[in-house]
Amino acid sequence: MSDTDLLDRLLAGEQKAYRELVARYQGAMRAVAYAIVGSRNADEVVQDAWLAVVRSLSGFQGRSSLKTWLLTITANTAKTRLKHNRREVLLDDLAAPHGTVGEERFSDDGHWLLAPHAWHQDSPEALLTEDELRECLEHTLASLSELQASVLVLRERQGLELEAICNLLDISLSNARVLLHRARLKVFATLEHFEETGQC
Amino acid sequence: MLTCKELVAHSSDYLDGQMTLRQRLAVRAHLAMCGNCRRFIRQMKLTQAVIRQMPEDELPELDALAERLAQARRHND
């Protein structure tokens, strides 16, 4: 269903349309809230954002996509809550369960010392059939900082452009690139570890 | 000439299209000659696909929330 069709039904107050809206966008909204206010207040911010969405629905002009509009409202709701204690953008890297692809993998001249091994599976579907690996990946994602996890989710799962992520979260492009890269390498390290050892 | 370590450090920029043409060509030239880095990039793409396809948490109160929002909307007018 297109945004326009959905919007008409939302304006009419049709419950099924709201179900569809929430199912489609709540994940992305939660990632935005999580990045800005942290896990403790994220759910409350998302609830407030939904009410703000309902209040201003008639004013939605379609100048941006519905998704961008919803995420902007979420970011604004989160920032209002945060106004008096704006957090620093933390680039500090927390340790992940299986580390990362670090310096120790390379020789002084920059060649691989410990090159990546071939993995047993070469499709995401095949990899994700392993329950233990799925749990292991959840564990790695949970080890990321709130901001790092959100940037990863917004980019990979929600398919947002880096520039859009920067605008929503008020971070610079270079910070977003660092956060995303480090997050990916940690997930990579978990997959690699599991493919090599067969355990988490 | 780009080293393997540098290629890994800039791999996300490569995957996200955040490189100048010159940097991109340098990565391509390295990949043409280096099987280890080709494998690394392939596995990074697989890592991205895995994250994309990981099942999302179910929303437990989806129906309740939808009902509340639809009601709020109807009362809004």
Side-chain angles (χ1 to χ4, degrees):
Chain A
M1 195 194 318
S2 73
D3 279 3
T4 329
D5 295 338
L6 187 59
L7 195 65
D8 289 341
R9 294 170 50 206
L10 292 169
L11 285 168
E14 197 186 308
Q15 186 175 331
K16 260 166 96 180
Y18 281 91
R19 192 179 195 286
E20 166 121 20
L21 186 76
V22 174
R24 221 191 266 184
Y25 298 118
Q26 173 128 309
M29 287 169 67
R30 201 170 184 289
V32 168
Y34 191 71
I36 298 173
V37 297
S39 57
R40 257 186 34 206
N41 297 313
D43 286 328
E44 219 170 295
V45 163
V46 171
Q47 298 284 328
D48 289 352
W50 277 125
L51 294 175
V53 164
V54 170
R55 274 197 303 274
S56 35
L57 206 53
S58 331
F60 175 68
Q61 310 254 339
R63 274 195 294 256
S64 60
S65 70
L66 191 55
K67 182 176 188 174
T68 303
W69 185 70
L70 291 172
L71 295 184
T72 306
I73 289 180
T74 309
N76 289 341
T77 307
K79 286 171 200 167
T80 305
R81 168 165 300 225
L82 211 65
K83 222 167 217 165
H84 301 295
N85 50 346
R86 177 85 179 102
R87 295 185 312 168
E88 295 291 305
V89 172
L90 288 177
L91 286 179
D92 286 356
D93 220 17
L94 308 173
H98 305 99
T100 177
V101 183
E103 301 240 333
E104 68 287 353
R105 298 282 294 259
F106 302 93
S107 63
D108 289 341
D109 63 4
H111 283 94
W112 286 101
L113 271 181
L114 189 57
H117 286 276
W119 294 352
H120 305 294
Q121 308 292 353
D122 58 5
S123 77
E125 294 81 8
L127 283 161
L128 287 170
T129 51
E130 301 256 18
D131 285 341
E132 196 184 345
L133 177 58
R134 275 211 310 274
E135 278 168 33
C136 193
L137 288 167
E138 293 288 354
H139 192 55
T140 300
L141 292 182
S143 78
L144 305 178
S145 75
E146 288 155 347
L147 190 56
Q148 199 172 40
S150 294
V151 171
L152 185 70
V153 167
L154 290 171
R155 178 75 188 123
E156 305 290 24
R157 278 205 214 176
Q158 305 293 337
L160 263 61
E161 295 297 331
L162 277 175
E163 288 75 8
I165 297 173
C166 294
N167 288 338
L168 287 167
L169 305 185
D170 277 345
I171 56 177
S172 68
L173 184 59
S174 62
N175 280 354
R177 284 158 67 172
V178 169
L179 289 162
L180 182 60
H181 183 58
R182 288 179 180 168
R184 278 181 184 146
L185 289 184
K186 289 174 185 174
V187 179
F188 180 100
T190 291
L191 281 168
E192 184 175 58
H193 176 85
F194 193 88
E195 285 299 293
E196 275 176 29
T197 65
Q199 52 198 358
C200 188
Chain B
M1 181 68 198
L2 204 64
T3 67
C4 301
K5 188 177 173 181
E6 287 165 342
L7 184 135
V8 168
H10 295 113
S11 52
S12 282
D13 291 341
Y14 177 70
L15 295 169
D16 290 317
Q18 295 281 326
M19 282 189 157
T20 62
L21 181 63
R22 194 195 193 93
Q23 291 169 321
R24 214 170 169 76
L25 290 175
V27 169
R28 291 254 172 86
H30 182 106
L31 290 178
M33 292 186 311
C34 180
N36 285 333
C37 285
R38 276 202 301 280
R39 175 177 283 165
F40 172 78
I41 290 290
R42 205 164 52 238
Q43 291 175 344
M44 275 291 266
K45 288 182 179 168
L46 187 51
T47 302
Q48 287 182 283
V50 165
I51 299 167
R52 204 157 34 235
Q53 296 198 17
M54 275 176 70
E56 280 200 62
D57 292 343
E58 294 283 313
L59 300 172
E61 358 85 65
L62 180 57
D63 286 309
L65 178 59
E67 187 181 347
R68 229 170 41 243
L69 295 177
Q71 260 174 18
R73 174 68 217 164
R74 290 194 291 264
H75 291 157
N76 205 43
D77 285 332

